[in-house]
Amino acid sequence: MSDSDILIKGDLIKSRWRITQKIGGGGFGQIYQAYDKLRRELVAVKVESNSQPRQGIRMEVTVLRRIQNREHVCELFSGGISTLYNYMVMTLLGSSLSELRKNLKEQCFTLSTTLRISLQILQAIESIHSIGFLHRDIKPSNFAIGRKNVRQIFILDFGLARKYTDYDQHVRPARIEAGFRGTIRYASVNAHNNRELGRHDDLWSFFYMLIEFLIGSLPWSKIKDKESVGHIKETYDYTRFLTNLPDEFNKFLEHINELNYDDKPDYDFLRSLFNSSIQRLGFHDDDIYDWEKS
Ligand code: ADP
């Protein structure tokens, strides 16, 4: 383990969770696997130094607490602060959708897998929106399959979440300018332009994910410069992606294109698009997912 690791193998949190190994050093936090002495199972522990400038775990714990017991959300066992770090203990998940896609020979998911995981991803996004929060970092590495149920998708990483409603459940007034949040490859044009993000921006990131799942890359995948990527996204003819895809993807694009900051997306309509594609093409719920093939 490196010098900057906050925890080491053998460390004990609250006399209950024993660190067994590091599994990720994300953007802001570090992720470890730990053994839960009480439940006698492995869990995931996310920690961040409480002296680092950007603190995300407090927000993550707030959001995860409010969104517990939803189908595509992992369980939060504990969250708190100690003298040196902030921590949260949650369900240990399996591989992310980013890893699963890259492990495939063709680097693409099939239409059947993409459409069926889309229903799960949409449900996860709708869940967070329904409690008044935006995710603001929707991307394939923030969705993972379960370890026990590899057919279930879970949403991760609420460190960039933001409340978009006020105490009255009304949409908060948009700030004239907001700092860039998210990940360049999946950020919406609004994010590139430092605009206040709304529910539709999470869906734009979801749309970019879908294209990457099906085609294997995005036209700006290799470009690192935020302004250049923003410019391509702003001028790109998105229908070019769609020529070989079911017409429902075009309808998805049309819907998100019509939405403004205040608008509530029509999640039922988007769900119906995925369902009608699935039905028409003869796919079934119990078909295997691409990562289940040997
Ligand atoms: P950051 O906010 O630092 O980006 P994330 O929460 O996105 O951190 O986690 C980074 C990576 O760690 C994820 O892409 C995933 O691979 C892994 N990870 C995060 N949470 C879990 C979990 N509950 N179970 C298993 N792996 C996880």
Side-chain angles (χ1 to χ4, degrees):
M1 292 193 178
S2 80
D3 288 347
S4 56
D5 287 344
I6 295 172
L7 297 170
I8 55 165
K9 187 173 171 182
D11 280 353
L12 196 58
I13 299 179
K14 286 187 103 185
S15 323
R16 175 170 169 188
W17 294 284
R18 171 89 60 197
I19 300 299
T20 52
Q21 67 179 96
K22 188 173 181 186
I23 52 177
F28 302 107
Q30 298 175 3
I31 316 281
Y32 297 83
Q33 192 181 87
Y35 181 71
D36 184 339
K37 299 205 300 186
L38 203 69
R39 293 168 66 105
R40 298 185 181 185
E41 61 180 15
L42 292 171
V43 292
V45 176
K46 184 167 180 176
V47 287
E48 69 188 6
S49 158
N50 59 19
S51 61
Q52 73 188 42
R54 237 205 71 81
Q55 310 254 318
I57 287 186
R58 191 186 293 261
M59 172 59 83
E60 284 215 43
V61 169
T62 305
V63 174
L64 257 184
R65 272 214 179 106
R66 293 179 58 175
I67 208 180
Q68 284 294 281
N69 300 315
R70 311 261 181 150
E71 214 179 330
H72 302 289
V73 176
C74 68
E75 204 173 327
L76 176 70
F77 301 118
S78 177
I81 44 177
S82 75
T83 38
L84 293 174
Y85 57 83
N86 308 328
Y87 70 91
M88 57 191 273
V89 185
M90 62 191 147
T91 318
L92 181 66
L93 299 171
S95 301
S96 73
L97 292 181
S98 154
E99 292 161 326
L100 292 168
R101 181 185 67 79
K102 289 183 196 146
N103 285 342
L104 296 171
K105 200 162 64 64
E106 324 75 51
Q107 310 257 300
C108 302
F109 289 135
T110 57
L111 203 44
S112 168
T113 288
T114 302
L115 286 166
R116 288 177 297 129
I117 62 178
S118 292
L119 287 169
Q120 302 195 45
I121 294 167
L122 179 63
Q123 186 84 53
I125 296 175
E126 187 180 0
S127 291
I128 179 166
H129 292 177
S130 74
I131 57 151
F133 282 87
L134 306 169
H135 185 281
R136 302 201 301 173
D137 200 15
I138 294 292
K139 58 177 173 179
S141 59
N142 280 338
F143 291 90
I145 54 173
R147 272 165 52 99
K148 290 180 192 139
N149 181 1
V150 301
R151 298 173 58 84
Q152 190 170 355
I153 311 283
F154 294 85
I155 187 168
L156 281 172
D157 195 359
F158 302 95
L160 290 182
R162 180 179 165 88
K163 191 95 168 61
Y164 70 90
T165 53
D166 59 19
Y167 58 89
D168 251 351
Q169 312 311 319
H170 293 126
V171 176
R172 290 163 74 181
R175 292 166 293 176
I176 310 276
E177 186 153 335
F180 177 81
R181 292 285 179 279
T183 301
I184 291 172
R185 187 182 295 177
Y186 306 97
S188 65
V189 170
N190 277 336
H192 281 277
N193 290 332
N194 294 331
R195 296 224 187 86
E196 183 81 270
L197 302 184
R199 287 164 284 188
H200 63 320
D201 294 293
D202 279 346
L203 296 176
W204 270 105
S205 302
F206 177 28
F207 178 72
Y208 296 144
M209 275 173 68
L210 287 176
I211 300 304
E212 189 181 48
F213 287 163
L214 291 166
I215 296 178
S217 64
L218 286 160
W220 48 85
S221 287
K222 292 204 165 73
I223 306 172
K224 297 221 157 33
D225 179 59
K226 177 176 155 264
E227 311 308 320
S228 312
V229 173
H231 181 70
I232 302 175
K233 286 178 183 167
E234 208 149 7
T235 50
Y236 202 78
D237 174 11
Y238 290 100
T239 55
R240 283 172 61 182
F241 290 140
L242 306 171
T243 37
N244 296 317
L245 297 178
D247 189 44
E248 284 83 357
F249 286 90
N250 205 9
K251 297 206 172 96
F252 184 103
L253 182 61
E254 277 171 14
H255 181 62
I256 60 173
N257 234 334
E258 281 168 0
L259 298 170
N260 291 312
Y261 169 73
D262 290 290
D263 297 331
K264 182 180 180 186
D266 191 342
Y267 307 96
D268 287 337
F269 171 67
L270 298 176
R271 211 176 341 269
S272 78
L273 292 177
F274 295 131
N275 276 322
S276 77
S277 251
I278 289 171
Q279 259 189 359
R280 195 164 37 76
L281 297 166
F283 303 139
H284 293 105
D285 273 357
D286 47 7
D287 292 345
I288 56 169
Y289 284 105
D290 294 339
W291 52 89
E292 294 181 288
K293 294 176 190 161
S294 52

